[in-house]
Amino acid sequence: YNSLPTLNLTAVQKFHFYSPDRKRFPCLEIGYEAARVGGTLPAVVNAANEVAVDAFLKGNIQFTKIPKIIERVMSTYRQQPSNQLEQVLAADTWARERACAYV
């Protein structure tokens, strides 16, 4: 349950958007790279991210280790096309196992 008030978009006068700082938020660049490459890499990145974030939330790693774990998993992955669900699921399983080993 969220106790924050509802955002009233009609009451907002202006929105300001800025380019994201990719050095400050390295996982954003990781996500863009996975999208550019395509195939099963987005599934690999997602799985590694979930494992790393879970490890952080449990106090097993520092927050700054999250992108390092994801990048390490990405760097050891052999890219596959994602023509079938089984390929995506296999990539997900592989990435989770690898990320757990790095945690």
Side-chain angles (χ1 to χ4, degrees):
Y1 174 70
N2 183 348
S3 62
L4 296 174
T6 303
L7 175 62
N8 182 352
L9 293 175
T10 59
V12 178
Q13 297 296 314
K14 293 181 183 179
F15 286 100
H16 299 278
F17 296 94
Y18 303 95
S19 295
D21 183 344
R22 294 180 184 195
K23 288 184 181 177
R24 190 169 179 203
F25 304 102
C27 288
L28 185 58
E29 185 59 36
I30 291 169
Y32 285 142
E33 177 65 18
R36 275 191 295 276
V37 172
T40 52
L41 191 58
V44 167
V45 167
N46 180 69
N49 180 64
E50 288 183 4
V51 169
V53 169
D54 184 60
F56 165 71
L57 292 174
K58 290 178 178 173
N60 296 330
I61 64 168
Q62 296 175 333
F63 182 76
T64 56
K65 297 292 183 190
I66 294 171
K68 291 175 176 30
I69 290 170
I70 300 168
E71 288 173 335
R72 194 166 175 196
V73 171
M74 284 177 68
S75 71
T76 58
Y77 182 66
R78 286 189 337 163
Q79 177 54 20
Q80 303 285 322
S82 59
N83 299 330
Q84 297 180 357
L85 178 60
E86 291 79 19
Q87 293 167 315
V88 175
L89 295 175
D92 179 276
T93 299
W94 178 90
R96 288 176 192 281
E97 291 171 357
R98 184 65 59 137
C100 284
Y102 295 148
V103 166

